[in-house]
Amino acid sequence: MARLNVIGVHLYLQREDGRILLGRRHPGVAFAGDHFHFLAGHLETEGAKAGLIREAEEEAGLAIAPEDLELVHTVHMLDEGADSDGQPRLGLIFRARTWTGTPEIREPDKCMEWTWVDPHRLPTPMVTYTKVAIEAIGRGETYTELGWN
């Protein structure tokens, strides 16, 4: 049976010192509790840039203009592990060239902290596809597939 792909948008926010923004997910969330992850969300009835701009404001109080977003990586994954729903997912990872605001916890039931990390010394535990994408971006790669046979 065919299953439609869930589309997620992810923010690769990097400061001038090279550190990137990651959030530590609340332990009670359905996916990847207590793991580090991008600021991210699922698209609703909207374009990818609009969805990411909405998520950045909702989750962290950041303002980003659409023209300041650049698609830097795509992850196409199928996770059929014991804790998975088996839904195929497409993750679009955008880098923001500029933004305004300082990350703040806006959804404490979903994210416990925002932290700036060295992309070469990632914290643990981390969402697998987030780690894979950060490493691929560092190598200049724009596409990754995970979990497909």
Side-chain angles (χ1 to χ4, degrees):
M1 174 172 76
R3 297 190 76 185
L4 297 178
N5 286 257
V6 173
I7 301 174
V9 288
H10 304 77
L11 183 61
Y12 188 89
L13 201 62
Q14 189 169 34
R15 297 188 312 200
E16 288 183 19
D17 66 3
R19 291 181 173 270
I20 60 173
L21 182 69
L22 294 177
R24 187 164 55 95
R25 297 177 55 78
H26 190 280
V29 296
F31 170 72
D34 206 33
H35 282 59
F36 288 90
H37 189 34
F38 290 123
L39 184 156
H42 295 132
L43 287 181
E44 297 175 6
T45 306
E46 61 200 342
K49 286 184 174 184
L52 186 54
I53 289 166
R54 175 184 52 77
E55 291 288 352
E57 171 62 28
E58 288 175 2
E59 292 185 17
L62 302 174
I64 303 170
E67 62 271 15
D68 289 328
L69 289 172
E70 166 192 23
L71 182 65
V72 292
H73 199 77
T74 302
V75 178
H76 196 202
M77 63 203 121
L78 180 63
D79 182 1
E80 295 187 307
D83 296 331
S84 172
D85 59 6
Q87 188 77 37
R89 297 177 186 276
L90 187 69
L92 304 174
I93 302 161
F94 289 88
R95 179 188 318 245
R97 291 182 196 94
T98 62
W99 67 91
T100 57
T102 300
E104 58 186 67
I105 301 298
R106 290 266 181 105
E107 297 178 328
D109 58 323
K110 295 179 183 174
C111 180
M112 296 173 43
E113 71 173 301
W114 295 114
T115 187
W116 294 96
V117 304
D118 180 338
H120 304 290
R121 300 179 73 187
L122 296 171
T124 58
M126 175 168 276
V127 172
T128 300
Y129 75 85
T130 303
K131 182 178 189 295
V132 168
I134 291 167
E135 291 169 349
I137 291 166
R139 294 188 300 270
E141 298 170 7
T142 59
Y143 181 75
T144 301
E145 286 187 357
L146 294 172
W148 298 95
N149 297 330

